Amino acid sequence: QDNRVSIWSAGDLGNAGLNGEYHGEPHLLCDIQHNGDVMDMQFLDQERMVVASSTGTVTIFRHHQNNQTLSANHQWEKAHYHVDQDTSCGGAACTGVVCNNPEIVTVGEDGRINLFRADQRDAVRTIDNADSSTLHAVTFLRTTEILTVNSIGQLKIWDLRQQRNEPSQIFSLAGDRVPLHCVDRHPNQQHIVATGGQDGMLSIWDIRQGTMPVSLLNAHEAEMWEVHFHPSDPEHLFTCSEDGSLWHWDTSTNASEKPSFLHQGGRTTAYLSHSTINQSVVSAWLSNDPTKDRMEITNLIPNQTLSVNSLDVLGPCLVYGTDAEAIYVNRQLFS
């Protein structure tokens, strides 16, 4: 129950060596006590971050860069709860948080959706019975719409402008209700959404059509914990799993010229600029079987056995955390 939230310096990318490799170890700048397990976290702005707790509380921490300290800036006690907010043990885990400053959306085991503003004490909006099952993750689709995934294999769109407490659209995996754990939307083509779940499958959805995924891709052998499109190169997607693997999915145009098979730790991906994002690249995600057309899949950590619980990606940098209680930074994603 006694955990810590920490800020690390992973080093300045600007002073990398000639080969692009960075010299110097990541080091801890500051940390602060956190009550309950950290279920999710996201930066709100340059110095504030929002942290979701298993106790149901949501906290904004401020990073004071002048003296390298962290302080609790604001807290919504028991934003998520099972019985009522006042019982001492009634908290329900807050499973996901997403920020679009100043707005913060949280979801939880109690099936609740909260919309907070960083500068307001009370919730702007709460959808109490948004879901009868656990909501596992949330992300913004547009500034006024969010996507949630739940424990019975459903992807839902919520329009926060509507006063109705119902989703505007519901999508679901056919047949067996496999819990979905993670969701991300394509940064440029907002109708393309990726989800991952209990069975390790990667699902690609086109929310403009149908209520089922356009493609289901065999991926991991256990739960998929996180899925992320690269924010500036979305023909690259990253997934990580309980089975200890972290996969890089490459649908870029040059991937089509290579045989499509799983490379064990091999790297042959070229770094693509914005200008190459054309219709054919986009449709690679939406074709019935993207692996047939062109997709190269690389396991970036082939010999890992412990669960890879979280990942994030920016520029040539990939950061991930594992059950070995270690944080890894890979700075040569496209080398």
Side-chain angles (χ1 to χ4, degrees), residues 164-208:
R164 297 181 310 127
N165 291 341
E166 317 271 303
S168 51
Q169 275 180 282
I170 301 178
F171 304 84
S172 56
L173 296 167
D176 41 354
R177 302 185 154 211
V178 178
L180 291 172
H181 290 304
C182 52
V183 57
D184 197 25
R185 71 153 173 78
H186 192 290
N188 310 332
Q189 305 283 324
Q190 295 181 339
H191 54 277
I192 301 178
V193 174
T195 63
Q198 191 83 31
D199 56 2
M201 297 276 275
L202 173 64
S203 309
I204 305 290
W205 313 71
D206 182 346
I207 59 172
R208 298 170 306 182

Side-chain angles (χ1 to χ4, degrees), residues 140-160:
F140 275 100
L141 180 62
R142 296 178 186 83
T143 49
T144 55
E145 287 182 300
I146 55 167
L147 288 165
T148 60
V149 290
N150 69 12
S151 59
I152 56 170
Q154 292 173 322
L155 168 69
K156 296 182 182 179
I157 299 179
W158 303 82
D159 187 337
L160 298 173

Side-chain angles (χ1 to χ4, degrees), residues 52-72:
S53 171
S54 58
T55 64
T57 295
V58 177
T59 310
I60 300 180
F61 289 104
R62 185 180 287 276
H63 176 212
H64 306 273
Q65 295 174 12
N66 51 354
N67 60 359
Q68 291 304 345
T69 56
L70 272 169
S71 65

Side-chain angles (χ1 to χ4, degrees), residues 112-261:
R112 234 178 223 93
I113 297 173
N114 290 308
L115 171 63
F116 297 111
R117 280 183 77 98
D119 47 11
Q120 291 181 20
R121 221 186 58 203
D122 298 322
V124 178
R125 172 99 188 268
T126 294
I127 305 177
D128 270 332
N129 300 310
D131 215 298
S132 54
S133 56
T134 295
L135 288 167
H136 281 147
V138 59
T139 193
F140 275 100
L141 180 62
R142 296 178 186 83
T143 49
T144 55
E145 287 182 300
I146 55 167
L147 288 165
T148 60
V149 290
N150 69 12
S151 59
I152 56 170
Q154 292 173 322
L155 168 69
K156 296 182 182 179
I157 299 179
W158 303 82
D159 187 337
L160 298 173
R161 290 165 304 191
Q162 301 287 335
Q163 285 314 301
R164 297 181 310 127
N165 291 341
E166 317 271 303
S168 51
Q169 275 180 282
I170 301 178
F171 304 84
S172 56
L173 296 167
D176 41 354
R177 302 185 154 211
V178 178
L180 291 172
H181 290 304
C182 52
V183 57
D184 197 25
R185 71 153 173 78
H186 192 290
N188 310 332
Q189 305 283 324
Q190 295 181 339
H191 54 277
I192 301 178
V193 174
T195 63
Q198 191 83 31
D199 56 2
M201 297 276 275
L202 173 64
S203 309
I204 305 290
W205 313 71
D206 182 346
I207 59 172
R208 298 170 306 182
Q209 51 180 324
T211 56
M212 285 160 57
V214 287
S215 53
L216 285 169
L217 299 165
N218 274 312
H220 304 279
E221 289 163 21
E223 292 92 341
M224 186 189 295
W225 292 131
E226 198 111 56
V227 56
H228 278 299
F229 284 100
H230 192 289
S232 54
D233 272 319
E235 55 276 82
H236 302 277
L237 178 108
F238 299 85
T239 59
C240 65
S241 166
E242 180 72 27
D243 67 10
S245 59
L246 194 163
W247 284 17
H248 173 187
W249 306 71
D250 177 5
T251 64
S252 60
T253 39
N254 61 329
S256 58
E257 291 139 29
K258 303 173 200 128
S260 175
F261 55 87

